Short mmCIF file of all heavy atoms in Angstrom, two decimals:
data_model
loop_
_atom_site.label_atom_id
_atom_site.label_comp_id
_atom_site.label_asym_id
_atom_site.label_seq_id
_atom_site.Cartn_x
_atom_site.Cartn_y
_atom_site.Cartn_z
N SER A 9 70.81 96.77 104.72
CA SER A 9 70.14 95.45 104.63
C SER A 9 68.81 95.41 103.83
O SER A 9 68.35 94.49 103.37
CB SER A 9 69.86 94.87 106.04
OG SER A 9 69.07 95.71 106.75
N LYS A 35 85.13 97.20 84.79
CA LYS A 35 84.93 98.35 83.90
C LYS A 35 86.22 98.98 83.72
O LYS A 35 86.85 99.55 84.58
CB LYS A 35 83.83 99.34 84.55
CG LYS A 35 82.49 98.64 84.61
CD LYS A 35 81.49 99.69 85.34
CE LYS A 35 80.14 99.02 85.42
NZ LYS A 35 79.20 99.80 86.12
N ASN A 55 89.65 101.63 128.87
CA ASN A 55 89.35 100.21 129.34
C ASN A 55 88.91 99.45 128.08
O ASN A 55 87.76 98.98 128.02
CB ASN A 55 88.29 100.16 130.41
CG ASN A 55 88.69 100.98 131.64
OD1 ASN A 55 89.55 100.67 132.37
ND2 ASN A 55 87.91 102.11 131.81
N LEU A 58 86.92 96.04 128.33
CA LEU A 58 85.55 95.95 128.75
C LEU A 58 84.61 96.09 127.59
O LEU A 58 84.75 96.97 126.73
CB LEU A 58 85.30 97.09 129.72
CG LEU A 58 86.01 97.09 131.02
CD1 LEU A 58 85.69 98.36 131.89
CD2 LEU A 58 85.77 95.84 131.79
N ALA A 80 80.43 107.39 103.39
CA ALA A 80 79.30 106.62 103.86
C ALA A 80 79.73 105.96 105.22
O ALA A 80 80.66 105.25 105.32
CB ALA A 80 78.90 105.58 102.88
N LEU A 122 83.76 107.04 124.09
CA LEU A 122 84.16 106.01 123.26
C LEU A 122 85.32 106.40 122.29
O LEU A 122 85.42 107.62 122.06
CB LEU A 122 83.00 105.38 122.46
CG LEU A 122 81.83 104.78 123.26
CD1 LEU A 122 80.65 104.50 122.36
CD2 LEU A 122 82.26 103.56 124.03
N ARG A 140 70.56 93.09 114.71
CA ARG A 140 69.61 91.93 114.59
C ARG A 140 68.77 92.26 113.44
O ARG A 140 67.73 92.95 113.53
CB ARG A 140 68.85 91.81 115.95
CG ARG A 140 69.71 91.44 117.01
CD ARG A 140 70.13 89.96 116.97
NE ARG A 140 71.12 89.62 118.00
CZ ARG A 140 71.64 88.41 118.12
NH1 ARG A 140 71.38 87.48 117.24
NH2 ARG A 140 72.57 88.24 119.05
N GLY A 175 91.56 99.09 85.61
CA GLY A 175 92.69 99.21 84.72
C GLY A 175 92.26 99.24 83.32
O GLY A 175 91.03 99.17 83.01
N GLY A 183 97.14 97.54 82.66
CA GLY A 183 96.11 96.74 82.12
C GLY A 183 95.30 95.90 83.14
O GLY A 183 95.89 95.51 84.18
N HIS A 184 94.08 95.60 82.89
CA HIS A 184 93.21 94.99 83.91
C HIS A 184 93.71 93.54 84.21
O HIS A 184 93.51 93.05 85.31
CB HIS A 184 91.71 95.12 83.61
CG HIS A 184 91.36 94.16 82.42
ND1 HIS A 184 91.61 94.26 81.18
CD2 HIS A 184 90.66 92.93 82.58
CE1 HIS A 184 91.06 93.36 80.45
NE2 HIS A 184 90.44 92.48 81.23
N ALA A 203 100.19 93.04 108.85
CA ALA A 203 99.53 92.13 109.70
C ALA A 203 99.35 92.72 111.08
O ALA A 203 100.40 93.26 111.64
CB ALA A 203 100.26 90.75 109.80
N ALA A 228 86.68 78.32 100.56
CA ALA A 228 87.08 78.79 99.27
C ALA A 228 85.84 79.32 98.39
O ALA A 228 85.96 80.25 97.69
CB ALA A 228 87.78 77.71 98.48
N ASP A 237 93.39 82.60 85.58
CA ASP A 237 93.59 82.38 84.12
C ASP A 237 93.71 83.71 83.51
O ASP A 237 93.75 84.81 84.13
CB ASP A 237 92.52 81.49 83.52
CG ASP A 237 91.11 82.17 83.63
OD1 ASP A 237 91.03 83.27 83.84
OD2 ASP A 237 90.16 81.34 83.51
N THR A 238 93.84 83.77 82.21
CA THR A 238 94.13 85.01 81.44
C THR A 238 92.87 85.86 81.18
O THR A 238 92.98 86.98 80.63
CB THR A 238 94.81 84.71 80.10
OG1 THR A 238 93.97 83.83 79.32
CG2 THR A 238 96.19 84.05 80.34
N ASP A 317 96.11 107.73 112.24
CA ASP A 317 96.26 107.85 110.79
C ASP A 317 97.01 106.70 110.17
O ASP A 317 97.52 106.80 109.03
CB ASP A 317 97.10 109.15 110.56
CG ASP A 317 96.43 110.36 110.96
OD1 ASP A 317 95.19 110.48 110.88
OD2 ASP A 317 97.05 111.26 111.52
N GLY A 334 105.66 102.99 86.70
CA GLY A 334 106.94 102.54 87.05
C GLY A 334 106.90 101.62 88.32
O GLY A 334 107.58 100.58 88.23
N LYS A 344 106.66 88.34 91.05
CA LYS A 344 106.55 87.24 90.11
C LYS A 344 107.23 85.97 90.62
O LYS A 344 106.61 84.89 90.58
CB LYS A 344 107.13 87.65 88.80
CG LYS A 344 106.70 86.68 87.65
CD LYS A 344 107.06 87.24 86.28
CE LYS A 344 106.59 86.39 85.17
NZ LYS A 344 106.97 86.86 83.77
N LEU A 351 101.65 77.66 94.17
CA LEU A 351 101.35 76.28 93.63
C LEU A 351 100.13 76.27 92.72
O LEU A 351 99.46 75.21 92.53
CB LEU A 351 101.23 75.32 94.74
CG LEU A 351 102.39 75.12 95.74
CD1 LEU A 351 102.05 74.11 96.81
CD2 LEU A 351 103.68 74.77 95.01
N PRO A 356 92.94 82.99 99.16
CA PRO A 356 94.03 82.96 100.06
C PRO A 356 94.43 81.50 100.55
O PRO A 356 95.16 81.36 101.45
CB PRO A 356 93.55 83.74 101.29
CG PRO A 356 92.07 83.43 101.39
CD PRO A 356 91.59 83.27 99.99
N VAL A 379 110.50 95.12 101.22
CA VAL A 379 111.58 96.20 101.10
C VAL A 379 111.57 96.81 99.78
O VAL A 379 111.63 98.07 99.63
CB VAL A 379 112.96 95.59 101.57
CG1 VAL A 379 114.00 96.61 101.26
CG2 VAL A 379 112.92 95.22 103.04
N PRO A 390 105.61 110.97 95.26
CA PRO A 390 105.64 112.37 94.81
C PRO A 390 104.96 112.55 93.48
O PRO A 390 104.42 113.57 93.22
CB PRO A 390 107.06 112.76 94.92
CG PRO A 390 107.72 111.87 95.88
CD PRO A 390 106.97 110.51 95.72
N VAL A 410 109.17 97.52 108.10
CA VAL A 410 109.56 96.72 106.97
C VAL A 410 111.06 96.36 106.85
O VAL A 410 111.43 95.16 106.64
CB VAL A 410 109.12 97.47 105.67
CG1 VAL A 410 109.57 96.73 104.40
CG2 VAL A 410 107.68 97.73 105.67
N CYS A 415 105.98 93.68 111.71
CA CYS A 415 104.72 94.16 111.33
C CYS A 415 104.02 94.65 112.64
O CYS A 415 104.58 94.36 113.70
CB CYS A 415 103.86 93.17 110.61
SG CYS A 415 103.73 91.52 111.47
#
Side-chain angles (χ1 to χ4, degrees):
S9 62
K35 295 179 180 177
N55 303 292
L58 296 178
L122 299 173
R140 295 287 171 182
H184 75 284
D237 60 20
T238 57
D317 300 323
K344 196 170 184 180
L351 303 179
V379 170
V410 178
C415 54

